[in-house]
Amino acid sequence: VSVSTERESDDSAPPLPDWAAGSGTRRGLEACLTHLAAAIEAARTLGVPTQAAEAVRAEAAGRLGFPADVYVLALVGGTGVGKSSLLNQLAGVAVSPASVRRPTTDEPVAWVPASARADLEGLLEWLGVTRVEEHQVAGQGAVAILDLPDMDSVEAAHRERVGALLPRVDAVAWVTDPEKYHDAVLHDEFLRDWIPRLDQQAIVMNKSDRLDADGVKRIRADLERDLARSFLVPGRRRPPVLVTSAKDGDLEELRGWLASEIESKKIVRARLAASLATSAEGLAAEAGIDPLVAARPFLDAGERTSAVAAITSDVLRAVDLPGLERQAVAATRARARARGTGPVGIVTSLVYRLSGREARVADPGGFLVRWRERGPLAPAVDTLRATVTEPIRVAAPAVRPTLAATVEPDRLRVGLEAAVDRAVARHDRTVPSSRVWPLIGALQTVATFALAASVAWVLVWILGGAEVASAEVPVLGPIPIPFLAVILSLAVGYLLARLLGIHAGWVGRRWAGRLRGSVRDAVERAVTDEAFAPLDRLEGARRALWAAARGAVEECRRT
Amino acid sequence: VTDAAPSDLRDLVGRLEALAERRLATRPRSVTATSRATRLADHLSGHVRVRANSLDAPLVVLLLGPTGAGKSTLFNTLAGRAASPTGVLRPTTRRAVVLVHPDDRGPLLEGTLSGIDEERLELVEDAAITPGLALVDAPDLDSIESANRELADRLVEAADLSLFVTTATRYADRVPWVVLERVRERGLPLMVVVNRMPEDAADQRELLADVERLFVEAGLTETMAFQPEAADEPEPTAPEVPEAPEAPEDGSAAAPRIELVGIEEGHVEPATESLRRDAITAISSRIDHLRADRDARIELAARALTGSIAGLGQALEEVADDCEHEAIDADALGRAAAHHFERALVTLRAELGRGTFLREEALRHWQEFVGADQMTRFFSSGIGRIRGAIAGLIRPASAPVAEVRAATTDDLLSVATLHASEAARRTATNWADEPMVRDSLGADPTLWGVSDDFEARLRERLDAWIESIAADIQATGRPKRLMARGASIGVNALGTGVMLGTFMHTGGLTGAEVGVAAGTAFLNHKLLSALFGEAAMAELIGNARRRLDEALATTLAEERARFDALVPSSAELAGLAGELREAALDVRNLPPSLPPELRAVMGSRAAVGAPLPSSG
């Protein structure tokens, strides 16, 4: 039973062939494939269309499945420029029929070294080339030359054929002639797109027999100017302009070019690297990223800090920190009252609680939980939206929808609300207590009993004066002691209550301050984490895309 | 039916021109629609109008073809001088070179060539040639200079006869065939010159047969039937160059032969940048014949015009189709925008009506004010009233007007901004993939949110709104007792109360409910109804609410207008489409060929553009 491997699948990619790791690129093709995969992943997150890049990746994977001992060179050009004549002249025999009828070639014809025929079988099948001519010509190098149909005639199918084959060939000779060398079709629809995606390539100016020496010189200069001006790829060598005449058999420059690079594996590798790198760079360009310039974040640190501060203050306005402090102090006071006012306090606390007033004004926990009733998050969400306005404006059009989606108000509001809920739930809401309070309570109890006793004494003294006349009432100066006792115990009770109030207020304010600080910090953390989470995801993708494109430029471009 | 009076024709052409201009003014949204509309306008002004006015205006013979095919060389040969530059670098000719007799110059520039930038024309005057025929060397059709293609397209619309110059290499190129398709559509008489023929006679025959095959397949036989005018003139033939292969001459006049002229490569004489005269006898004799024979020119012009009119109906209908498609697209886009902004307004209204957008902080201050003793005296009785009166004397309450207003305005602004920008974001997201607006959307990134002055505009309207509430209160014919009582509160404080009243419904609350908003709403309501009476209060609040709604709707509509400005008016386009179809029908109802008498009348008018008598 044979195990079939899936070539298309991302995670189960087949091991790369030996020839993929070479000296042509620093880390070999593996790095380039990794960069493109990373770029595709990041571009998807950013909302940049990735179909074309994925197709390039699939084509590269396809080519890696075949040997690279012989490379495939395609002759591409307009009808009548002499592609077939060139090949026939190169071969010395009529390989591909040339004719006065335009367009001539319908089907691609492959001209391959007989020795490599067997090795090339699979590759040619993958290319869809069925017409194969073998040759024994020595000194041509390990190259299979494809004569392709034209790309500019009324036969639309020919152009489609060329379009389908170009992503799969290893090298291209762009054949043109003195009539067609400035055609819009050649320049705008082919060279512009394909020069960056190929490595081994040349512009062949055929039919030089039509020109005198001066004409050749001028046209060559004209073409070289185009190549330098319109099709310049940074860090890449420029395709040479080769002048030939198939009619006169003058193929010297073409032959020279073919002989200049004979290491087939290097050619295939460089071609795949160029194609992968161009795709990664293309994705970056779509996302508005220049791999050669350090990536600038959507929001810089300063903008971010001030935005977080503004949003936090908007959220806190809804949470209402002064209100929270008031509640905290009131709750502390209530607790102190219950514990430190003796028997009277027990009664008043009960009344306070049962009337529902305690829940309204002295329950910081409940107050925090009900924060949503106190104010809308709209100002906070609007501040956040306004912060992302500028990044949207400067972003590349392809990224704008994704970027704008990060400020979808409903989702933002829900996210912020949940974050604030979590933030306010995290605090210790136990109302503080103090050991002083029971002590004050005990003293207050004593004072209360003393007061009761004094009042009783006064009553007994006034009402039952006759019966107890024998008993002398002690006197301090002119004032009878029972009265003094009443005044004294009242004063002590009052002082104790004041003391409790002052102490409870102090404890309550300290707690309220701590609570306020911790809620503020928690909200700020929540805002920091939540508000920019979607933006950060895009930021991460953008950085990843930049890194991938940069890596592609540095490692997959042969200089 | 042959009652198409020349004046009728001229009226019709005027109408068509106006329609074409209107169509161009709607800024067609796709490349093909733009080129169709431009073509129609160019054709009407460059050819149909000129010919409807006079068949005797100078005849325009256009040399047309791909770059490097040798148009200029042929032109120079026909001109007998090096008038048009030739060279190895492509493209050579960037301007159209026009060979005219001095007398024809004016009529030509005012007529056929009137729409073309003079910068792009090079007029070569030659007093030695016979007037009445201008020879134009068009720039190429297919080089990287796209401006050349535009000029050539324009000249195709204006010409009376075209000489299509191609080569043995070029003849199957796709781009020139697109132009030839247009030549067929507009019924332009055509001659074909195949340059750089191979030397071998068999090759020549095979090649010309293949060229003819392509022309026949493209349906270019009929309009190309450019038969020699006079029978006494023997058909000229180029020496050593075979004519087009014999077409069936067995009386089948319905399939006229294509006029193909082959020129061999060796016939070029680089010294004079021209061809050997004898190589092009077939063409030059035709030109000479037209120059010499005024009737032949008029005949040809009349044929060009009839060809044009025959093609106009379809051209008009195609433009009408474009308009209709655009109207449908524009309508759909407009509806999407309307939907999102409508939705924004509805949710905004609901949110404002619930009052939940107001922050409690400000409400609490208002509650403290309206709940204070000296205020509650207005709606309490007995002891509360007396207590309130005394409290008012001791410590008069001051309404937190500025604070509540500022807070309310800020909250209102942020909630409105949020909804408006969300509507913009949704619309932009919707539109981002629509071909009709993709580019204009990309060019204006501010469309992804509210416009920059949104807040300023809305704030101004809200300030005006608050002012209008105060004015309402002053104008509301307050009873005297209210003056007496309300005087201590002040119009601004009352206005603030009414303003809050528009956002807060008491909805049967009793004031005992927990929550500042409910409590404030209750107290506010009690105070206002005590001061104004229930009915007057309801009216005040109702008016305020309506005006606020108007302010918000207007501001949102302005935001939406930014989007609407990007799409053409669908109603206008639909109307235009209807008129174009009507015009197409009128064109189709014209007689298929101009009546002979009309031709005679037109021909007798030597002056260009002279009015034609109505035959009605």
PDB file of all heavy atoms in Angstrom, chain A residues 28 52 87 91 113-114 116 125 129 193 227 249 296 347 428-429 434 454 465 498 500 519 523-524 539:
ATOM      1  N   GLY A  28      18.318  28.936   1.134  1.00  0.00           N
ATOM      2  CA  GLY A  28      17.614  28.015   0.261  1.00  0.00           C
ATOM      3  C   GLY A  28      16.150  28.380   0.159  1.00  0.00           C
ATOM      4  O   GLY A  28      15.682  29.367   0.718  1.00  0.00           O
ATOM      5  N   ALA A  52      -3.987  35.027  -5.326  1.00  0.00           N
ATOM      6  CA  ALA A  52      -2.871  35.000  -6.271  1.00  0.00           C
ATOM      7  C   ALA A  52      -1.622  34.444  -5.595  1.00  0.00           C
ATOM      8  O   ALA A  52      -0.906  33.607  -6.166  1.00  0.00           O
ATOM      9  CB  ALA A  52      -2.609  36.406  -6.799  1.00  0.00           C
ATOM     10  N   LEU A  87      13.940  29.099 -32.815  1.00  0.00           N
ATOM     11  CA  LEU A  87      14.146  27.743 -32.311  1.00  0.00           C
ATOM     12  C   LEU A  87      14.681  26.841 -33.426  1.00  0.00           C
ATOM     13  O   LEU A  87      15.624  26.080 -33.213  1.00  0.00           O
ATOM     14  CB  LEU A  87      12.832  27.188 -31.740  1.00  0.00           C
ATOM     15  CG  LEU A  87      12.896  25.775 -31.175  1.00  0.00           C
ATOM     16  CD1 LEU A  87      13.986  25.667 -30.111  1.00  0.00           C
ATOM     17  CD2 LEU A  87      11.555  25.364 -30.576  1.00  0.00           C
ATOM     18  N   ALA A  91      18.168  24.934 -33.443  1.00  0.00           N
ATOM     19  CA  ALA A  91      18.215  23.486 -33.575  1.00  0.00           C
ATOM     20  C   ALA A  91      18.914  23.064 -34.867  1.00  0.00           C
ATOM     21  O   ALA A  91      19.461  21.961 -34.950  1.00  0.00           O
ATOM     22  CB  ALA A  91      16.806  22.924 -33.547  1.00  0.00           C
ATOM     23  N   PRO A 113      16.976  17.987 -24.847  1.00  0.00           N
ATOM     24  CA  PRO A 113      18.102  17.086 -25.070  1.00  0.00           C
ATOM     25  C   PRO A 113      17.629  15.643 -24.924  1.00  0.00           C
ATOM     26  O   PRO A 113      16.911  15.329 -23.963  1.00  0.00           O
ATOM     27  CB  PRO A 113      19.093  17.434 -23.954  1.00  0.00           C
ATOM     28  CG  PRO A 113      18.621  18.730 -23.373  1.00  0.00           C
ATOM     29  CD  PRO A 113      17.160  18.821 -23.659  1.00  0.00           C
ATOM     30  N   ALA A 114      18.012  14.773 -25.866  1.00  0.00           N
ATOM     31  CA  ALA A 114      17.528  13.387 -25.843  1.00  0.00           C
ATOM     32  C   ALA A 114      17.876  12.698 -24.530  1.00  0.00           C
ATOM     33  O   ALA A 114      17.103  11.907 -23.999  1.00  0.00           O
ATOM     34  CB  ALA A 114      18.126  12.620 -27.022  1.00  0.00           C
ATOM     35  N   ALA A 116      17.936  13.848 -21.612  1.00  0.00           N
ATOM     36  CA  ALA A 116      17.136  14.243 -20.449  1.00  0.00           C
ATOM     37  C   ALA A 116      15.661  13.937 -20.634  1.00  0.00           C
ATOM     38  O   ALA A 116      14.850  14.221 -19.762  1.00  0.00           O
ATOM     39  CB  ALA A 116      17.323  15.735 -20.193  1.00  0.00           C
ATOM     40  N   GLU A 125       4.671  16.926 -18.681  1.00  0.00           N
ATOM     41  CA  GLU A 125       3.255  16.608 -18.526  1.00  0.00           C
ATOM     42  C   GLU A 125       2.571  17.653 -17.635  1.00  0.00           C
ATOM     43  O   GLU A 125       1.471  18.118 -17.913  1.00  0.00           O
ATOM     44  CB  GLU A 125       3.123  15.215 -17.899  1.00  0.00           C
ATOM     45  CG  GLU A 125       1.713  14.661 -17.979  1.00  0.00           C
ATOM     46  CD  GLU A 125       1.628  13.347 -17.231  1.00  0.00           C
ATOM     47  OE1 GLU A 125       2.561  12.524 -17.371  1.00  0.00           O
ATOM     48  OE2 GLU A 125       0.658  13.165 -16.497  1.00  0.00           O
ATOM     49  N   VAL A 129       2.649  20.126 -21.997  1.00  0.00           N
ATOM     50  CA  VAL A 129       3.274  20.130 -23.323  1.00  0.00           C
ATOM     51  C   VAL A 129       3.293  18.704 -23.861  1.00  0.00           C
ATOM     52  O   VAL A 129       3.826  17.796 -23.221  1.00  0.00           O
ATOM     53  CB  VAL A 129       4.711  20.678 -23.241  1.00  0.00           C
ATOM     54  CG1 VAL A 129       5.387  20.615 -24.599  1.00  0.00           C
ATOM     55  CG2 VAL A 129       4.689  22.104 -22.718  1.00  0.00           C
ATOM     56  N   ASP A 193       4.402  42.706 -15.209  1.00  0.00           N
ATOM     57  CA  ASP A 193       4.039  41.694 -14.211  1.00  0.00           C
ATOM     58  C   ASP A 193       5.100  40.625 -14.031  1.00  0.00           C
ATOM     59  O   ASP A 193       5.309  40.129 -12.937  1.00  0.00           O
ATOM     60  CB  ASP A 193       2.749  40.977 -14.638  1.00  0.00           C
ATOM     61  CG  ASP A 193       1.542  41.854 -14.427  1.00  0.00           C
ATOM     62  OD1 ASP A 193       1.696  42.884 -13.731  1.00  0.00           O
ATOM     63  OD2 ASP A 193       0.475  41.523 -14.958  1.00  0.00           O
ATOM     64  N   LEU A 227      13.878  49.102 -19.539  1.00  0.00           N
ATOM     65  CA  LEU A 227      14.140  48.108 -18.501  1.00  0.00           C
ATOM     66  C   LEU A 227      14.649  48.775 -17.236  1.00  0.00           C
ATOM     67  O   LEU A 227      14.322  48.363 -16.129  1.00  0.00           O
ATOM     68  CB  LEU A 227      15.158  47.076 -18.991  1.00  0.00           C
ATOM     69  CG  LEU A 227      14.653  46.167 -20.107  1.00  0.00           C
ATOM     70  CD1 LEU A 227      15.792  45.352 -20.687  1.00  0.00           C
ATOM     71  CD2 LEU A 227      13.567  45.237 -19.581  1.00  0.00           C
ATOM     72  N   GLY A 249      20.644  33.802 -39.507  1.00  0.00           N
ATOM     73  CA  GLY A 249      21.332  32.816 -38.683  1.00  0.00           C
ATOM     74  C   GLY A 249      22.235  33.437 -37.634  1.00  0.00           C
ATOM     75  O   GLY A 249      23.122  32.784 -37.102  1.00  0.00           O
ATOM     76  N   ARG A 296       5.922  51.217  10.615  1.00  0.00           N
ATOM     77  CA  ARG A 296       5.415  52.191  11.575  1.00  0.00           C
ATOM     78  C   ARG A 296       4.092  51.653  12.106  1.00  0.00           C
ATOM     79  O   ARG A 296       3.243  51.260  11.328  1.00  0.00           O
ATOM     80  CB  ARG A 296       5.181  53.527  10.853  1.00  0.00           C
ATOM     81  CG  ARG A 296       5.094  54.693  11.776  1.00  0.00           C
ATOM     82  CD  ARG A 296       4.793  55.976  11.000  1.00  0.00           C
ATOM     83  NE  ARG A 296       4.119  56.923  11.874  1.00  0.00           N
ATOM     84  CZ  ARG A 296       2.836  56.906  12.133  1.00  0.00           C
ATOM     85  NH1 ARG A 296       2.074  56.005  11.574  1.00  0.00           N
ATOM     86  NH2 ARG A 296       2.289  57.805  12.933  1.00  0.00           N
ATOM     87  N   VAL A 347     -29.888  49.230  67.785  1.00  0.00           N
ATOM     88  CA  VAL A 347     -31.231  49.600  67.324  1.00  0.00           C
ATOM     89  C   VAL A 347     -31.150  50.472  66.061  1.00  0.00           C
ATOM     90  O   VAL A 347     -31.799  50.196  65.048  1.00  0.00           O
ATOM     91  CB  VAL A 347     -31.989  50.351  68.447  1.00  0.00           C
ATOM     92  CG1 VAL A 347     -33.350  50.819  67.933  1.00  0.00           C
ATOM     93  CG2 VAL A 347     -32.128  49.469  69.670  1.00  0.00           C
ATOM     94  N   ASP A 428     -11.517  43.469  46.960  1.00  0.00           N
ATOM     95  CA  ASP A 428     -11.968  43.026  48.272  1.00  0.00           C
ATOM     96  C   ASP A 428     -12.923  44.084  48.794  1.00  0.00           C
ATOM     97  O   ASP A 428     -12.548  45.230  49.027  1.00  0.00           O
ATOM     98  CB  ASP A 428     -10.757  42.896  49.196  1.00  0.00           C
ATOM     99  CG  ASP A 428     -11.191  42.440  50.568  1.00  0.00           C
ATOM    100  OD1 ASP A 428     -12.328  41.927  50.672  1.00  0.00           O
ATOM    101  OD2 ASP A 428     -10.409  42.609  51.510  1.00  0.00           O
ATOM    102  N   ARG A 429     -14.193  43.668  48.930  1.00  0.00           N
ATOM    103  CA  ARG A 429     -15.184  44.670  49.312  1.00  0.00           C
ATOM    104  C   ARG A 429     -15.586  44.534  50.776  1.00  0.00           C
ATOM    105  O   ARG A 429     -16.593  45.079  51.195  1.00  0.00           O
ATOM    106  CB  ARG A 429     -16.409  44.553  48.417  1.00  0.00           C
ATOM    107  CG  ARG A 429     -16.107  44.986  47.008  1.00  0.00           C
ATOM    108  CD  ARG A 429     -17.382  45.068  46.229  1.00  0.00           C
ATOM    109  NE  ARG A 429     -17.166  44.501  44.908  1.00  0.00           N
ATOM    110  CZ  ARG A 429     -17.900  43.533  44.404  1.00  0.00           C
ATOM    111  NH1 ARG A 429     -18.866  43.004  45.111  1.00  0.00           N
ATOM    112  NH2 ARG A 429     -17.642  43.107  43.199  1.00  0.00           N
ATOM    113  N   SER A 434     -12.282  47.744  63.118  1.00  0.00           N
ATOM    114  CA  SER A 434     -11.186  48.150  63.981  1.00  0.00           C
ATOM    115  C   SER A 434     -11.401  47.571  65.376  1.00  0.00           C
ATOM    116  O   SER A 434     -12.542  47.435  65.824  1.00  0.00           O
ATOM    117  CB  SER A 434     -11.115  49.677  64.030  1.00  0.00           C
ATOM    118  OG  SER A 434     -10.248  50.073  65.056  1.00  0.00           O
ATOM    119  N   SER A 454     -27.949  56.878  86.470  1.00  0.00           N
ATOM    120  CA  SER A 454     -28.010  58.248  86.993  1.00  0.00           C
ATOM    121  C   SER A 454     -29.414  58.795  86.882  1.00  0.00           C
ATOM    122  O   SER A 454     -29.923  59.421  87.827  1.00  0.00           O
ATOM    123  CB  SER A 454     -27.070  59.154  86.184  1.00  0.00           C
ATOM    124  OG  SER A 454     -25.835  58.550  85.969  1.00  0.00           O
ATOM    125  N   GLY A 465     -38.557  61.584  97.592  1.00  0.00           N
ATOM    126  CA  GLY A 465     -37.746  62.407  98.493  1.00  0.00           C
ATOM    127  C   GLY A 465     -38.040  62.150  99.971  1.00  0.00           C
ATOM    128  O   GLY A 465     -37.135  61.965 100.804  1.00  0.00           O
ATOM    129  N   ARG A 498     -18.353  60.779  69.203  1.00  0.00           N
ATOM    130  CA  ARG A 498     -17.519  61.605  68.330  1.00  0.00           C
ATOM    131  C   ARG A 498     -16.229  60.881  67.977  1.00  0.00           C
ATOM    132  O   ARG A 498     -15.802  60.852  66.819  1.00  0.00           O
ATOM    133  CB  ARG A 498     -17.153  62.934  69.018  1.00  0.00           C
ATOM    134  CG  ARG A 498     -18.283  63.925  69.164  1.00  0.00           C
ATOM    135  CD  ARG A 498     -18.785  64.399  67.845  1.00  0.00           C
ATOM    136  NE  ARG A 498     -17.764  65.098  67.071  1.00  0.00           N
ATOM    137  CZ  ARG A 498     -17.959  65.550  65.828  1.00  0.00           C
ATOM    138  NH1 ARG A 498     -19.114  65.335  65.241  1.00  0.00           N
ATOM    139  NH2 ARG A 498     -17.003  66.192  65.194  1.00  0.00           N
ATOM    140  N   LEU A 500     -15.702  57.736  67.965  1.00  0.00           N
ATOM    141  CA  LEU A 500     -15.994  56.646  67.017  1.00  0.00           C
ATOM    142  C   LEU A 500     -16.176  57.210  65.608  1.00  0.00           C
ATOM    143  O   LEU A 500     -15.633  56.679  64.630  1.00  0.00           O
ATOM    144  CB  LEU A 500     -17.263  55.916  67.453  1.00  0.00           C
ATOM    145  CG  LEU A 500     -17.651  54.730  66.573  1.00  0.00           C
ATOM    146  CD1 LEU A 500     -16.692  53.575  66.795  1.00  0.00           C
ATOM    147  CD2 LEU A 500     -19.075  54.288  66.832  1.00  0.00           C
ATOM    148  N   VAL A 519      -9.808  50.274  41.893  1.00  0.00           N
ATOM    149  CA  VAL A 519     -10.780  50.227  40.792  1.00  0.00           C
ATOM    150  C   VAL A 519     -10.231  50.969  39.581  1.00  0.00           C
ATOM    151  O   VAL A 519     -10.307  50.486  38.449  1.00  0.00           O
ATOM    152  CB  VAL A 519     -12.143  50.828  41.233  1.00  0.00           C
ATOM    153  CG1 VAL A 519     -13.048  51.040  40.036  1.00  0.00           C
ATOM    154  CG2 VAL A 519     -12.818  49.921  42.240  1.00  0.00           C
ATOM    155  N   VAL A 523      -9.607  49.238  36.038  1.00  0.00           N
ATOM    156  CA  VAL A 523     -10.294  49.711  34.826  1.00  0.00           C
ATOM    157  C   VAL A 523      -9.267  50.075  33.760  1.00  0.00           C
ATOM    158  O   VAL A 523      -9.415  49.739  32.590  1.00  0.00           O
ATOM    159  CB  VAL A 523     -11.225  50.897  35.152  1.00  0.00           C
ATOM    160  CG1 VAL A 523     -11.675  51.585  33.888  1.00  0.00           C
ATOM    161  CG2 VAL A 523     -12.429  50.414  35.946  1.00  0.00           C
ATOM    162  N   GLU A 524      -8.207  50.731  34.187  1.00  0.00           N
ATOM    163  CA  GLU A 524      -7.186  51.129  33.231  1.00  0.00           C
ATOM    164  C   GLU A 524      -6.562  49.899  32.574  1.00  0.00           C
ATOM    165  O   GLU A 524      -6.351  49.867  31.356  1.00  0.00           O
ATOM    166  CB  GLU A 524      -6.109  51.963  33.915  1.00  0.00           C
ATOM    167  CG  GLU A 524      -5.131  52.540  32.918  1.00  0.00           C
ATOM    168  CD  GLU A 524      -4.233  53.607  33.514  1.00  0.00           C
ATOM    169  OE1 GLU A 524      -4.531  54.095  34.623  1.00  0.00           O
ATOM    170  OE2 GLU A 524      -3.247  53.948  32.864  1.00  0.00           O
ATOM    171  N   GLU A 539      -2.089  44.705  14.229  1.00  0.00           N
ATOM    172  CA  GLU A 539      -0.720  45.211  14.345  1.00  0.00           C
ATOM    173  C   GLU A 539       0.263  44.045  14.254  1.00  0.00           C
ATOM    174  O   GLU A 539       1.273  44.113  13.557  1.00  0.00           O
ATOM    175  CB  GLU A 539      -0.579  45.934  15.689  1.00  0.00           C
ATOM    176  CG  GLU A 539       0.686  46.713  15.832  1.00  0.00           C
ATOM    177  CD  GLU A 539       0.678  47.937  14.936  1.00  0.00           C
ATOM    178  OE1 GLU A 539      -0.041  48.887  15.244  1.00  0.00           O
ATOM    179  OE2 GLU A 539       1.393  47.925  13.926  1.00  0.00           O
TER     180      GLU A 539
END
